[in-house]
Amino acid sequence: MDDTLKPEELFGDPQPKKVSQPEGMRMLSPSPRGVSPGAMGTLLLTQNTGCFAWLFFLFGAMATLVVFTLACNNVTEWIPSFIVPWETLPDYGTVVTCEEMNLRVNDSPVFRLTFEYTDGDRKIVRTYKTLCSWQDGEQILLERRWGYVRPVMTGALVGAWVLLLVGIFPLVGLGMVVGQFRSGWRAVRLLKYGDAAVGIPCGAEETGVRYNQRPEYRVKYMFQTASGENRAAFVRTYDIDRFSTTESDTILYDPNHPGGAVSLEDLQKDLYVTSAGDIAMRWKCCVSLALWFLAVAGLLVAAYYLFMN
């Protein structure tokens, strides 16, 4: 049996009622108030979904990078020959070395071929990843397309469709990152410049988004602006259960666009109001930020290693 409280069980009378000021509102300083760099980083990089969006994007980009660097010597190889034909060079190239790499494609070893050839008065040395093996000093026939030279009858180790398939993941991750960054930047601006008001939760609906098996809700608040006008604002949250005991929240809204707001209490697991009335990050959030920076650093190092080798 599902014991999770439903939105209709959490909210009673949808009409706003008189409630006492939440503690967070009493502690806030007037705008513009300070928002610490740690708090900004938490909101921009790890809000709601933690590091998931960024890690999904980064690992997807890394997978695409791996496929591209391992499967393709040059992007021109993925152009069909009937569209842009290859030109066979009149002179042979000479194999300098042909070493087996610690890489296999369809259970076949991949070799790093180093060969040299002459172009006019110049002697050019190139490297090429291939499934074919040659002996040192062997003469090989070469072909050229748009200045790119390779051995005849070779090609990309993996088809372009594989790269396109893998490339979907960083694109999806990028969309998640952009959405999280926009939401975080909006929250930062509201925390810094927004007007505070007592928000009374009076309804909620699922948005269709889920994170760690938890649905996201769009909560409706009723509040009164500084000019005495009654307005409604909507806040997205995963923590719906806390509304069973919550009478009111401190919400920060844009006076020019009151429909958008953030709930200070909803952010309390990551942020807090200092004695000066500013917004700061809780120390436990350092773990999430540290994981984010470590993931980025690790992927950059791995990318450097792939390109250099």
Side-chain angles (χ1 to χ4, degrees):
M1 180 176 180
D2 187 4
D3 294 329
T4 304
L5 291 172
K6 303 298 188 295
E8 58 269 19
E9 299 176 296
L10 302 176
F11 306 99
D13 185 0
Q15 300 301 318
K17 52 186 179 295
K18 293 293 183 180
V19 294
S20 59
Q21 279 192 351
E23 181 182 0
M25 183 172 176
R26 293 194 295 269
M27 296 173 60
L28 277 175
S29 63
S31 63
R33 60 190 65 86
V35 179
S36 71
M40 293 180 63
T42 298
L43 292 171
L44 293 174
L45 303 179
T46 67
Q47 187 188 24
N48 291 336
T49 59
C51 299
F52 176 78
W54 286 94
L55 292 179
F56 191 93
F57 165 67
L58 291 171
F59 278 108
M62 188 64 186
T64 304
L65 177 64
V66 169
V67 170
F68 180 79
T69 55
L70 297 182
C72 179
N73 292 282
N74 189 279
V75 292
T76 61
E77 292 189 324
W78 281 330
I79 302 176
S81 296
F82 67 85
I83 297 179
V84 181
W86 290 85
E87 172 195 359
T88 302
L89 296 184
D91 299 325
Y92 283 84
T94 303
V95 176
V96 179
T97 60
C98 188
E99 303 171 331
E100 184 175 343
M101 302 175 63
N102 188 23
L103 175 68
R104 304 183 76 85
V105 175
N106 294 330
D107 292 330
S108 299
V110 178
F111 298 89
R112 180 185 286 111
L113 170 68
T114 303
F115 63 94
E116 61 180 14
Y117 65 97
T118 57
D119 185 4
D121 297 331
R122 298 184 304 155
K123 179 174 287 188
I124 301 174
V125 179
R126 289 278 175 86
T127 58
Y128 188 83
K129 295 188 293 289
T130 177
L131 297 176
C132 302
S133 175
W134 284 274
Q135 299 295 322
D136 294 356
E138 186 176 348
Q139 300 292 297
I140 54 175
L141 191 62
L142 303 176
E143 58 187 1
R144 174 170 54 197
R145 175 192 278 171
W146 294 337
Y148 175 70
V149 176
R150 72 175 189 181
V152 171
M153 300 302 292
T154 54
L157 300 179
V158 178
W161 65 271
V162 177
L163 181 64
L164 294 175
L165 183 64
V166 176
I168 293 175
F169 292 95
L171 292 178
V172 172
L174 181 61
M176 296 168 61
V177 165
V178 170
Q180 179 168 294
F181 193 88
R182 289 181 61 187
S183 174
W185 180 248
R186 174 174 161 272
V188 168
R189 290 191 57 84
L190 287 173
L191 288 173
K192 188 174 183 66
Y193 299 107
D195 287 350
V198 178
I200 303 171
C202 57
E205 61 181 3
E206 290 192 27
T207 63
V209 177
R210 302 185 75 87
Y211 175 65
N212 283 345
Q213 304 302 318
R214 297 170 60 195
E216 181 188 56
Y217 288 90
R218 186 169 177 258
V219 179
K220 179 180 180 180
Y221 285 90
M222 297 298 296
F223 68 96
Q224 193 173 74
T225 65
S227 61
E229 183 180 4
N230 290 326
R231 300 298 298 263
F234 296 89
V235 174
R236 294 174 182 264
T237 181
Y238 290 94
D239 188 12
I240 193 68
D241 292 339
R242 73 179 183 84
F243 290 99
S244 60
T245 58
T246 297
E247 184 182 45
S248 64
D249 279 351
T250 303
I251 64 168
L252 295 162
Y253 67 95
D254 183 349
N256 298 319
H257 303 91
V262 293
S263 167
L264 192 60
E265 282 71 22
D266 195 47
L267 300 174
Q268 278 188 346
K269 63 182 184 299
D270 298 326
L271 310 175
Y272 70 97
V273 181
T274 67
S275 57
D278 297 329
I279 308 297
M281 175 190 69
R282 295 189 185 277
W283 285 108
K284 67 175 184 178
C285 295
C286 292
V287 176
S288 296
L289 291 178
L291 288 174
W292 187 91
F293 283 111
L294 286 174
V296 173
L299 290 174
L300 289 177
V301 170
Y304 173 80
Y305 177 81
L306 281 173
F307 275 116
M308 294 304 293
N309 292 273

